[in-house]
Amino acid sequence: MEEQYFIDLIDKYLAGKADKSEILLVEEYYKRLSEKGKDLSYSKPDYVIKEEILVKLKEQIYESANESSLFFRRKYYYALAASIILVLSFSLFFYKQKDNSNQTLVQIKTLKANDVAPGGNKAILTLADGSKIVLDEVRSGEIAVQSGISITKTSDGKLIYENVINKIGVLENRILYNQIETPKGGQYQINLPDGSKVWLNAASSLKYPAIFNGNERQVELVGEAYFEVFPNAEMPFRVSTKHQLVEVLGTHFNVNAYSNESVTRTTLIEGSVKVSEKSLNNFKYLKPGEEAKNKNGIILVHEANIEQAIAWHKGNFQFNDTYLIDILKQIERWYDVKVDYSKVPDTRYNANISRNLNLSRVLEVLELTGKVKFSIEDNIVKVSNVK
């Protein structure tokens, strides 16, 4: 029974149909088990390679049979199976590319020689007086106080606003705006003074009042952010981007409004939102599981792929029939590299890859299609077609 399950799982992965948890486990365990896959014979047919890997799988499972915790054993089975699957995928890749094996090895060495680490918690905070704080360079703890609001940086990459004197309208009732900007290769979480939480993706910025006053809570977004809005029916929360306005009372949603993307996307996870197009005053209401695409003044609503929309917030890249050019835009932002788009083919991908991997590992996975190759030179990712 277990053996058949793992055989099916191997087929599922190679077909690009493995789910999020299976692919995450593949990435987590690849490094350890890939070493054990080096003795496989890549000149053998695919079904023989499957057999050899299944034998290795069963041997490792039997080694853990004496563990007392059933939960642990099951978790181990899944992890081990997934990791061996990736070994298999690399095995089949090298088997299918055996005539170009030397070139492939040179390509991988070149990628790793010019490798780029993944992004992390990096941002610049601009206070109301214009002073700037580089958040990844200051220690955790309180970093500023304004209008009775304490601004604290936590050790795990959060910026927290807290009303410490419970007063509104101090400092001549002026609205004091702060702005947080993430560079390419950066991300950051902000807990706003009303209790709402915002996760800012790479190359993005959020402008917001240090304290919300009046009859609305409005912020301005450039780039991408995931919002968990604290409910307050008397004070609607509004997210303003270049082309649209999103109005909510209390909900979870994602907004993608990068300037180099052709559409602005608003994806609703729970609650309800009103999406308005600024120039033509069009608007649509979204229900959970729906996505609004705003392009050239037209708002289209359709069923959303929630996992793909918020994958970045969960620490992953997720591609579902995604064009390579759109994948490379994400890579460009997260790894702070430039991409040469002159030879990018119309290849589409289905994959789920951790954003915690070095760039070379991500590119190696994309090369498994056998249709493209990548190189990294002077922080520029170059693409070439495989003939």
Side-chain angles (χ1 to χ4, degrees), residues 2-165:
E2 287 172 353
E3 180 172 332
Q4 186 57 50
Y5 170 78
F6 291 131
I7 292 173
D8 293 342
L9 193 56
I10 289 169
D11 291 332
K12 188 177 178 183
Y13 180 82
L14 293 176
K17 296 180 180 178
D19 65 25
K20 179 179 178 180
S21 60
E22 292 163 344
I23 299 175
L24 282 176
L25 288 168
V26 166
E27 294 295 336
E28 182 179 352
Y29 283 82
Y30 163 67
K31 186 176 180 180
R32 177 170 60 88
L33 288 213
S34 61
E35 292 299 316
K36 299 185 179 183
K38 285 183 177 178
D39 59 340
L40 296 177
S41 175
Y42 304 131
S43 61
K44 298 178 182 179
D46 292 1
Y47 74 91
V48 174
I49 296 175
K50 280 188 181 181
E51 244 178 61
E52 292 185 2
I53 289 182
L54 284 170
V55 169
K56 287 180 175 290
L57 170 64
K58 289 189 288 186
E59 288 174 355
Q60 301 251 351
I61 288 175
Y62 293 151
E63 287 176 10
S64 67
N66 293 326
E67 293 289 340
S68 58
S69 168
L70 179 61
F71 169 78
F72 174 82
R73 291 203 301 273
R74 285 179 178 171
K75 184 178 179 182
Y76 184 85
Y77 296 160
Y78 280 90
L80 194 55
S83 55
I84 290 181
I85 289 166
L86 188 58
V87 176
L88 171 64
S89 67
F90 273 80
S91 301
L92 296 181
F93 171 69
F94 283 119
Y95 162 65
K96 291 172 183 176
Q97 301 292 328
K98 59 185 178 181
D99 293 335
N100 299 315
S101 58
N102 290 335
Q103 182 180 350
T104 301
L105 291 172
V106 169
Q107 184 74 14
I108 291 174
K109 287 180 180 178
T110 302
L111 282 175
K112 291 185 176 179
N114 301 289
D115 213 351
V116 180
N121 293 322
K122 303 175 194 172
I124 297 174
L125 174 66
T126 303
L127 299 175
D129 62 2
S131 59
K132 295 181 181 294
I133 301 172
V134 181
L135 295 176
D136 42 305
E137 293 182 358
V138 298
R139 294 181 179 180
S140 56
E142 187 175 83
I143 57 177
V145 176
Q146 52 183 8
S147 288
I149 296 293
S150 170
I151 307 173
T152 303
K153 174 196 170 182
T154 66
S155 58
D156 57 346
K158 295 189 186 89
L159 195 64
I160 298 177
Y161 282 69
E162 184 179 9
N163 190 337
V164 291
I165 60 174

Side-chain angles (χ1 to χ4, degrees), residues 139-199:
R139 294 181 179 180
S140 56
E142 187 175 83
I143 57 177
V145 176
Q146 52 183 8
S147 288
I149 296 293
S150 170
I151 307 173
T152 303
K153 174 196 170 182
T154 66
S155 58
D156 57 346
K158 295 189 186 89
L159 195 64
I160 298 177
Y161 282 69
E162 184 179 9
N163 190 337
V164 291
I165 60 174
N166 197 29
K167 289 183 180 179
I168 297 177
V170 295
L171 215 65
E172 301 176 355
N173 283 327
R174 289 186 297 136
I175 298 177
L176 301 180
Y177 284 96
N178 288 183
Q179 180 168 300
I180 184 169
E181 300 172 82
T182 54
K184 286 184 177 181
Q187 63 180 11
Y188 227 85
Q189 179 184 337
I190 312 101
N191 291 8
L192 296 173
D194 68 328
S196 297
K197 297 178 181 179
V198 185
W199 286 260

Side-chain angles (χ1 to χ4, degrees), residues 229-244:
V229 175
F230 186 81
N232 186 343
E234 297 178 357
M235 218 176 184
F237 192 99
R238 295 185 174 96
V239 180
S240 176
T241 67
K242 184 177 181 180
H243 298 293
Q244 74 174 26

